[in-house]
């Protein structure tokens, strides 16, 4: 599998994880199985940040040039920031669709 495809697929899975985590936590909270509503945002942020680090470490190719590696890091961070912002809004829309206003 090509490197670019691995990065895209992992980033897409990362994007879909945020709504899935929030919907799962809300379902557990509504059935009184797990009470993490006060801590779901920080927990999700830590999990997604660690996952983004693993994606970068495993999927972004290493280069002998430090400048190119810094460029890859900057592009990766910018893309993940935009994906995170979009995932936040997707989570909002999904939660609004499920639980209403």
């Amino acid at each position: 599998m090509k490197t670019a495809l691995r990065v895209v697929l992992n980033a897409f899975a990362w994007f879909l994880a945020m709504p899935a985590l929030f919907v799962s936590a809300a379902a557990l909270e509504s059935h009184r199985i797990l009470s993490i509503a006060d801590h779901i945002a920080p927990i999700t942020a830590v999990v997604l940040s660690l996952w983004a680090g693993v994606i970068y470490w495993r999927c972004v190719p290493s280069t002998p040039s430090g400048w190119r590696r810094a460029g890859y890091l900057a592009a990766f961070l910018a893309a993940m920031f935009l994906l995170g912002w979009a995932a936040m809004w997707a989570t909002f829309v999904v939660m609004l669709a499920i639980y209403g206003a």
Side-chain angles (χ1 to χ4, degrees), residues 18-30:
M18 188 184 293
L21 287 171
F22 273 92
V23 168
S24 300
L28 292 174
E29 179 75 26
S30 68

Side-chain angles (χ1 to χ4, degrees), residues 52-79:
V54 169
I55 292 171
Y56 181 77
W57 178 53
R58 297 285 297 157
C59 297
V60 176
S62 63
T63 63
S65 169
W67 290 106
R68 181 170 288 195
R69 187 71 174 168
Y72 283 167
L73 178 62
F76 180 79
L77 290 175

Side-chain angles (χ1 to χ4, degrees), residues 10 18 32-33 39 44 50-51 60 70 79:
N10 278 291
M18 188 184 293
R32 295 189 178 29
I33 294 172
H39 307 292
T44 302
L50 290 173
W51 190 3
V60 176

